[in-house]
Amino acid sequence: MRYSLIFTLLLLCIIGFGSVPLNTIDSLKNELTITEGEAKVELLIQISEAYRNLHSSYCIDYGISAIDESKLLQNKELEAKALKSLGISTYYSGKFDDALLYYQNSLELYSKLDDKKQMAACYNNIGIVYEELAEFDMALEFYKKSFEYEKQLDNKKGIGISLISLGNIFYYQNTYHLAIDNYFQALLIFQKINNKWGIAYVYNSIGIIYRLWNDLDNSVMYFEKSKLIYEEIEDEVGLSKVLCNLGELYSDEPKDYKNALKYFNQSISIKKKLEDKIGIALLYNNFGTLYAKMENYEKALSYFNDSYLLYSEMKSITGLVMVEQNIGKLYFQFEDYNTAAEKFTNSLKMATKAKMDNYISSNYKELMSCYALTLDTESFKKYYNLYNSKNDSIINHLRLSRLYDIESKYVIEQLLITSNKLSEENQLKEQEIRQLRLIMAGLGGLIILIIFSYVLFLKIRK
């Protein structure tokens, strides 16, 4: 099952995703009729973004108008801004090819303007699209470029986001110790700058890693921490992601299907309201998995097919790898082993091309089971050997040890930071006490001087 790593939330650090009341949009449109020049372009961008999670076609139309107007004005800065904004909108609409084009054109303009802050944002956003397309090497290249610019700018929030992005790639490449190391580094940064959005994001990501390592208690703890913060800051997008992850967790180990269904329904209601096509596709898959476990196979297949259609429209390889495998599992339960093997093979081909090790290994295991039951000895041996080579228990144990070592390093660093803060506070208190003592000594001396002067005065009077 593919956990929601929230790539889309990374975009929120650049531009908001909240709901905009229709009367606000009407007000902006009225203002548009009496506005010209650069102000008109800014208004077109605002209206486009206001429609982003209300009406995708209006959103894109206004975004294109903003680009056209900025070109007429020959204002490269506004054109770059409009292009980047439309890149975000088309990404959320699942039009990844269009999103890439808009981001690349925006990056080209910002490069000419030498706007490093916006260049870093564009590099990050391009990486997000490549990540969704399962082109992880390309995603990694763009994330690293973004990271370098953020470090040059000493942009703490940007550095944290880049660390998360790099962590996500390591997650997909099944190098979880590298993923969680990046997440903890990001967490330290977000805690230092008191960025609650970033803290919630990282908690959710860490929860996913612990879930994959079957550490249920830590996974729930981090998911709940993330959920509380998202509720506090009223971030519906983030909340929908962590609700989805909690649903997946409860549908697996505890087999608490009632709670799983509750979390999935809460999540999808938010995703539909926000027109989050990527999130809806993932939830359809999750509903399919849940209903399969509840032995409602007809409903499960219907949800899987809906998910497959959405991922196909978006050309999302990571999504298709997951859904193909899950449909294969369903046909396996139907005892249609040939169709199941066909689905697992399709998933395996895409996973191999995308270097998604976790899915490569699990597809080997599924194909091994199919060929064992169809008495295809040669194919069984092939996938048995491939699966064993990928699933060395000693290697997995070492990976888990690394995971805990990384968390220990983070905890120690947190204690050092706390200790340093306490030391600084104690030093300030000691300094304040010394100053107070000096003041008191001065006051005491002054009082003695006054008393002495008064006594001397009385003696003189006598």
Side-chain angles (χ1 to χ4, degrees), residues 211-225:
R211 174 65 194 90
L212 290 167
W213 283 109
N214 294 316
D215 187 339
L216 188 63
D217 291 340
N218 269 320
S219 183
V220 171
M221 179 186 73
Y222 279 107
F223 284 150
E224 289 293 345
K225 281 183 173 183

PDB file of all heavy atoms in Angstrom, residues 211-225:
ATOM      1  N   ARG A 211       5.545   2.775  10.393  1.00  0.00           N
ATOM      2  CA  ARG A 211       4.509   1.813   9.981  1.00  0.00           C
ATOM      3  C   ARG A 211       5.090   0.750   9.062  1.00  0.00           C
ATOM      4  O   ARG A 211       4.794  -0.451   9.193  1.00  0.00           O
ATOM      5  CB  ARG A 211       3.368   2.567   9.278  1.00  0.00           C
ATOM      6  CG  ARG A 211       2.296   1.647   8.677  1.00  0.00           C
ATOM      7  CD  ARG A 211       1.558   0.872   9.768  1.00  0.00           C
ATOM      8  NE  ARG A 211       0.795  -0.208   9.187  1.00  0.00           N
ATOM      9  CZ  ARG A 211       1.264  -1.442   9.002  1.00  0.00           C
ATOM     10  NH1 ARG A 211       2.492  -1.746   9.356  1.00  0.00           N
ATOM     11  NH2 ARG A 211       0.499  -2.376   8.484  1.00  0.00           N
ATOM     12  N   LEU A 212       5.944   1.159   8.139  1.00  0.00           N
ATOM     13  CA  LEU A 212       6.560   0.203   7.213  1.00  0.00           C
ATOM     14  C   LEU A 212       7.462  -0.793   7.945  1.00  0.00           C
ATOM     15  O   LEU A 212       7.659  -1.914   7.479  1.00  0.00           O
ATOM     16  CB  LEU A 212       7.358   0.953   6.143  1.00  0.00           C
ATOM     17  CG  LEU A 212       6.510   1.733   5.126  1.00  0.00           C
ATOM     18  CD1 LEU A 212       7.379   2.680   4.321  1.00  0.00           C
ATOM     19  CD2 LEU A 212       5.762   0.773   4.211  1.00  0.00           C
ATOM     20  N   TRP A 213       8.012  -0.363   9.096  1.00  0.00           N
ATOM     21  CA  TRP A 213       8.850  -1.251   9.901  1.00  0.00           C
ATOM     22  C   TRP A 213       8.045  -1.976  10.977  1.00  0.00           C
ATOM     23  O   TRP A 213       8.597  -2.574  11.894  1.00  0.00           O
ATOM     24  CB  TRP A 213       9.994  -0.466  10.535  1.00  0.00           C
ATOM     25  CG  TRP A 213      11.077  -0.159   9.558  1.00  0.00           C
ATOM     26  CD1 TRP A 213      11.384   1.050   9.023  1.00  0.00           C
ATOM     27  CD2 TRP A 213      11.981  -1.084   8.965  1.00  0.00           C
ATOM     28  NE1 TRP A 213      12.425   0.941   8.140  1.00  0.00           N
ATOM     29  CE2 TRP A 213      12.816  -0.357   8.080  1.00  0.00           C
ATOM     30  CE3 TRP A 213      12.175  -2.467   9.088  1.00  0.00           C
ATOM     31  CZ2 TRP A 213      13.817  -0.954   7.332  1.00  0.00           C
ATOM     32  CZ3 TRP A 213      13.178  -3.066   8.338  1.00  0.00           C
ATOM     33  CH2 TRP A 213      13.985  -2.302   7.473  1.00  0.00           C
ATOM     34  N   ASN A 214       6.700  -1.904  10.853  1.00  0.00           N
ATOM     35  CA  ASN A 214       5.796  -2.610  11.779  1.00  0.00           C
ATOM     36  C   ASN A 214       5.949  -2.169  13.235  1.00  0.00           C
ATOM     37  O   ASN A 214       5.669  -2.945  14.154  1.00  0.00           O
ATOM     38  CB  ASN A 214       5.991  -4.133  11.671  1.00  0.00           C
ATOM     39  CG  ASN A 214       5.578  -4.653  10.319  1.00  0.00           C
ATOM     40  OD1 ASN A 214       4.539  -4.263   9.784  1.00  0.00           O
ATOM     41  ND2 ASN A 214       6.393  -5.517   9.732  1.00  0.00           N
ATOM     42  N   ASP A 215       6.393  -0.937  13.437  1.00  0.00           N
ATOM     43  CA  ASP A 215       6.438  -0.371  14.785  1.00  0.00           C
ATOM     44  C   ASP A 215       5.160   0.445  14.962  1.00  0.00           C
ATOM     45  O   ASP A 215       5.134   1.666  14.784  1.00  0.00           O
ATOM     46  CB  ASP A 215       7.685   0.502  14.948  1.00  0.00           C
ATOM     47  CG  ASP A 215       7.880   0.981  16.384  1.00  0.00           C
ATOM     48  OD1 ASP A 215       6.893   0.988  17.143  1.00  0.00           O
ATOM     49  OD2 ASP A 215       9.002   1.356  16.737  1.00  0.00           O
ATOM     50  N   LEU A 216       4.101  -0.268  15.307  1.00  0.00           N
ATOM     51  CA  LEU A 216       2.761   0.318  15.328  1.00  0.00           C
ATOM     52  C   LEU A 216       2.636   1.444  16.341  1.00  0.00           C
ATOM     53  O   LEU A 216       2.041   2.482  16.061  1.00  0.00           O
ATOM     54  CB  LEU A 216       1.733  -0.774  15.619  1.00  0.00           C
ATOM     55  CG  LEU A 216       0.260  -0.393  15.484  1.00  0.00           C
ATOM     56  CD1 LEU A 216      -0.070   0.005  14.061  1.00  0.00           C
ATOM     57  CD2 LEU A 216      -0.623  -1.546  15.930  1.00  0.00           C
ATOM     58  N   ASP A 217       3.191   1.253  17.539  1.00  0.00           N
ATOM     59  CA  ASP A 217       3.051   2.253  18.606  1.00  0.00           C
ATOM     60  C   ASP A 217       3.665   3.601  18.205  1.00  0.00           C
ATOM     61  O   ASP A 217       3.044   4.654  18.368  1.00  0.00           O
ATOM     62  CB  ASP A 217       3.700   1.751  19.895  1.00  0.00           C
ATOM     63  CG  ASP A 217       2.940   0.591  20.510  1.00  0.00           C
ATOM     64  OD1 ASP A 217       1.744   0.433  20.180  1.00  0.00           O
ATOM     65  OD2 ASP A 217       3.528  -0.171  21.297  1.00  0.00           O
ATOM     66  N   ASN A 218       4.907   3.564  17.677  1.00  0.00           N
ATOM     67  CA  ASN A 218       5.553   4.802  17.250  1.00  0.00           C
ATOM     68  C   ASN A 218       4.832   5.430  16.066  1.00  0.00           C
ATOM     69  O   ASN A 218       4.726   6.655  15.963  1.00  0.00           O
ATOM     70  CB  ASN A 218       7.022   4.549  16.895  1.00  0.00           C
ATOM     71  CG  ASN A 218       7.945   4.732  18.089  1.00  0.00           C
ATOM     72  OD1 ASN A 218       7.765   5.644  18.878  1.00  0.00           O
ATOM     73  ND2 ASN A 218       8.910   3.858  18.225  1.00  0.00           N
ATOM     74  N   SER A 219       4.337   4.584  15.168  1.00  0.00           N
ATOM     75  CA  SER A 219       3.620   5.094  14.002  1.00  0.00           C
ATOM     76  C   SER A 219       2.373   5.865  14.416  1.00  0.00           C
ATOM     77  O   SER A 219       2.152   6.997  13.977  1.00  0.00           O
ATOM     78  CB  SER A 219       3.227   3.929  13.085  1.00  0.00           C
ATOM     79  OG  SER A 219       2.586   4.406  11.924  1.00  0.00           O
ATOM     80  N   VAL A 220       1.572   5.267  15.280  1.00  0.00           N
ATOM     81  CA  VAL A 220       0.347   5.928  15.768  1.00  0.00           C
ATOM     82  C   VAL A 220       0.697   7.219  16.491  1.00  0.00           C
ATOM     83  O   VAL A 220       0.046   8.257  16.301  1.00  0.00           O
ATOM     84  CB  VAL A 220      -0.464   4.998  16.698  1.00  0.00           C
ATOM     85  CG1 VAL A 220      -1.598   5.762  17.380  1.00  0.00           C
ATOM     86  CG2 VAL A 220      -1.043   3.831  15.908  1.00  0.00           C
ATOM     87  N   MET A 221       1.752   7.165  17.321  1.00  0.00           N
ATOM     88  CA  MET A 221       2.155   8.353  18.083  1.00  0.00           C
ATOM     89  C   MET A 221       2.466   9.521  17.158  1.00  0.00           C
ATOM     90  O   MET A 221       1.987  10.649  17.366  1.00  0.00           O
ATOM     91  CB  MET A 221       3.382   8.035  18.940  1.00  0.00           C
ATOM     92  CG  MET A 221       3.890   9.227  19.749  1.00  0.00           C
ATOM     93  SD  MET A 221       5.440   8.883  20.610  1.00  0.00           S
ATOM     94  CE  MET A 221       6.607   8.895  19.240  1.00  0.00           C
ATOM     95  N   TYR A 222       3.263   9.265  16.111  1.00  0.00           N
ATOM     96  CA  TYR A 222       3.637  10.354  15.201  1.00  0.00           C
ATOM     97  C   TYR A 222       2.448  10.825  14.358  1.00  0.00           C
ATOM     98  O   TYR A 222       2.305  12.023  14.105  1.00  0.00           O
ATOM     99  CB  TYR A 222       4.809   9.927  14.316  1.00  0.00           C
ATOM    100  CG  TYR A 222       6.137  10.043  15.012  1.00  0.00           C
ATOM    101  CD1 TYR A 222       6.835   8.910  15.432  1.00  0.00           C
ATOM    102  CD2 TYR A 222       6.709  11.286  15.281  1.00  0.00           C
ATOM    103  CE1 TYR A 222       8.055   9.021  16.090  1.00  0.00           C
ATOM    104  CE2 TYR A 222       7.931  11.402  15.936  1.00  0.00           C
ATOM    105  CZ  TYR A 222       8.596  10.269  16.337  1.00  0.00           C
ATOM    106  OH  TYR A 222       9.804  10.382  16.982  1.00  0.00           O
ATOM    107  N   PHE A 223       1.596   9.897  13.919  1.00  0.00           N
ATOM    108  CA  PHE A 223       0.410  10.298  13.158  1.00  0.00           C
ATOM    109  C   PHE A 223      -0.503  11.188  14.008  1.00  0.00           C
ATOM    110  O   PHE A 223      -1.032  12.197  13.537  1.00  0.00           O
ATOM    111  CB  PHE A 223      -0.375   9.073  12.674  1.00  0.00           C
ATOM    112  CG  PHE A 223       0.231   8.365  11.495  1.00  0.00           C
ATOM    113  CD1 PHE A 223       0.050   7.000  11.329  1.00  0.00           C
ATOM    114  CD2 PHE A 223       0.956   9.050  10.534  1.00  0.00           C
ATOM    115  CE1 PHE A 223       0.599   6.329  10.241  1.00  0.00           C
ATOM    116  CE2 PHE A 223       1.507   8.395   9.445  1.00  0.00           C
ATOM    117  CZ  PHE A 223       1.328   7.024   9.296  1.00  0.00           C
ATOM    118  N   GLU A 224      -0.709  10.795  15.267  1.00  0.00           N
ATOM    119  CA  GLU A 224      -1.581  11.573  16.156  1.00  0.00           C
ATOM    120  C   GLU A 224      -0.994  12.953  16.442  1.00  0.00           C
ATOM    121  O   GLU A 224      -1.721  13.941  16.506  1.00  0.00           O
ATOM    122  CB  GLU A 224      -1.830  10.813  17.461  1.00  0.00           C
ATOM    123  CG  GLU A 224      -2.729   9.590  17.314  1.00  0.00           C
ATOM    124  CD  GLU A 224      -4.166   9.934  16.940  1.00  0.00           C
ATOM    125  OE1 GLU A 224      -4.559  11.113  17.073  1.00  0.00           O
ATOM    126  OE2 GLU A 224      -4.897   9.025  16.512  1.00  0.00           O
ATOM    127  N   LYS A 225       0.336  13.026  16.610  1.00  0.00           N
ATOM    128  CA  LYS A 225       0.984  14.322  16.801  1.00  0.00           C
ATOM    129  C   LYS A 225       0.743  15.223  15.589  1.00  0.00           C
ATOM    130  O   LYS A 225       0.450  16.414  15.726  1.00  0.00           O
ATOM    131  CB  LYS A 225       2.499  14.133  16.989  1.00  0.00           C
ATOM    132  CG  LYS A 225       2.925  13.694  18.365  1.00  0.00           C
ATOM    133  CD  LYS A 225       4.458  13.618  18.427  1.00  0.00           C
ATOM    134  CE  LYS A 225       4.976  13.341  19.807  1.00  0.00           C
ATOM    135  NZ  LYS A 225       6.461  13.345  19.837  1.00  0.00           N
TER     136      LYS A 225
END
